Amino acid sequence: MKIKMNIKYAVIILLLTLAFQSLSAAGPENRKKIAEQEFIVLRGRVIDAETKSPLVFASIAVTESNVGIITNIDGEFTLKISPDLVNHSIEVSFLGYKNKVIAVSSLRDDGYKNTTTLETAPIPIREVVVRPLDPEAIVEKAISRLGKNYESVPNLMTAFYRETIRKNRTYVSIGEAVLEIFKAPYNNDLRFDGARIYKGRKSTDVEKMDTILFKLQG
């Protein structure tokens, strides 16, 4: 009886060892490749149709979804989407330009050769007539409308921050962060505006910078 139990335990240990070795053989790199295969990578570039200059921070959004991104300082973007969005379209928009809708299938496997051009959309405005007014009356009117023009309750907002440093055409430092901003009510003197970094990242290539980095300690 004991011999049978020992054989049973030995078989279980052997199976667990083989399973552990197979997971170890997969490794983080293989698991990363498998995870990447679950998404479709779309790359492209957005430029002005007339000047051919890149449109910085243009909005790239997948229609009928909450997936989107913005272009970088070179007008380029990289967007990862799930396979169930293959039949959707991408809407490219930029302030002062006409929106353009592109099929997702037309952006696959072409890298940054996917260049999207946007045409300017001038907006005509009516004529503005400037007349001299009593400055004291303007200030008094502004003061009387403080309750309508400013919030009386605190607000919590989310913002995106990006900072880049370039040497010639090469990026030497890129920093990004998601911020939470607290806006205090106007009529409350005990609370002040504040901000905190929710999540951030930074990449620095020190070798390409003409800068000496040092730390003071004391």
Side-chain angles (χ1 to χ4, degrees):
M1 184 67 179
K2 291 183 179 180
I3 296 176
K4 291 183 179 180
M5 293 295 292
N6 292 336
I7 294 175
K8 182 179 179 180
Y9 289 141
V11 171
I12 293 175
I13 294 173
L14 179 61
L15 293 176
L16 291 175
T17 303
L18 293 175
F20 178 77
Q21 289 178 350
S22 62
L23 290 175
S24 300
E29 294 182 358
N30 292 334
R31 288 196 295 269
K32 183 178 180 181
K33 291 180 180 179
I34 294 174
E36 290 179 350
Q37 291 175 358
E38 298 177 356
F39 294 93
I40 298 174
V41 180
L42 306 177
R43 295 183 176 89
R45 190 165 182 257
V46 183
I47 62 174
D48 184 289
E50 183 177 354
T51 64
K52 308 303 180 183
S53 58
L55 297 181
V56 183
F57 303 147
S59 298
I60 315 295
V62 180
T63 58
E64 301 179 0
S65 73
N66 58 352
V67 179
I69 200 171
I70 60 175
T71 57
N72 60 15
I73 198 169
D74 294 320
E76 300 172 346
F77 68 90
T78 300
L79 181 63
K80 293 182 179 180
I81 64 173
S82 58
D84 57 342
L85 297 177
V86 172
N87 296 325
H88 287 234
S89 299
I90 287 180
E91 184 174 6
V92 184
S93 60
F94 192 77
L95 184 63
Y97 289 78
K98 298 178 182 178
N99 294 2
K100 180 173 286 189
V101 179
I102 307 170
V104 170
S105 57
S106 64
L107 294 176
R108 297 184 61 181
D109 303 328
D110 287 332
Y112 289 114
K113 295 180 181 179
N114 297 314
T115 301
T116 302
T117 58
L118 296 184
E119 299 179 355
T120 57
I123 302 175
I125 59 175
R126 294 184 299 176
E127 180 183 0
V128 178
V129 179
V130 180
R131 298 187 179 92
L133 298 175
D134 183 8
E136 293 184 359
I138 296 176
V139 174
E140 291 177 357
K141 186 176 181 180
I143 294 175
S144 65
R145 295 179 63 87
L146 286 177
K148 294 182 178 180
N149 295 335
Y150 292 89
E151 291 286 349
S152 59
V153 295
N155 288 319
L156 185 62
M157 300 174 286
T158 303
F160 175 77
Y161 169 82
R162 173 181 288 170
E163 181 183 73
T164 59
I165 300 176
R166 288 204 306 179
K167 179 182 177 182
N168 298 327
R169 294 185 59 84
T170 303
Y171 291 100
V172 294
S173 178
I174 299 177
E176 296 178 334
V178 177
L179 306 176
E180 286 187 347
I181 302 174
F182 174 79
K183 183 66 177 177
Y186 180 80
N187 56 357
N188 191 337
D189 297 332
L190 301 179
R191 306 185 71 176
F192 301 94
D193 297 344
R196 75 181 183 94
I197 298 177
Y198 177 74
K199 190 173 184 180
R201 61 181 180 179
K202 184 177 182 181
S203 176
T204 304
D205 189 354
V206 182
E207 296 180 356
K208 297 181 180 180
M209 297 180 64
D210 296 330
T211 306
I212 298 177
L213 302 179
F214 62 93
K215 181 186 293 185
L216 297 178
Q217 184 176 359

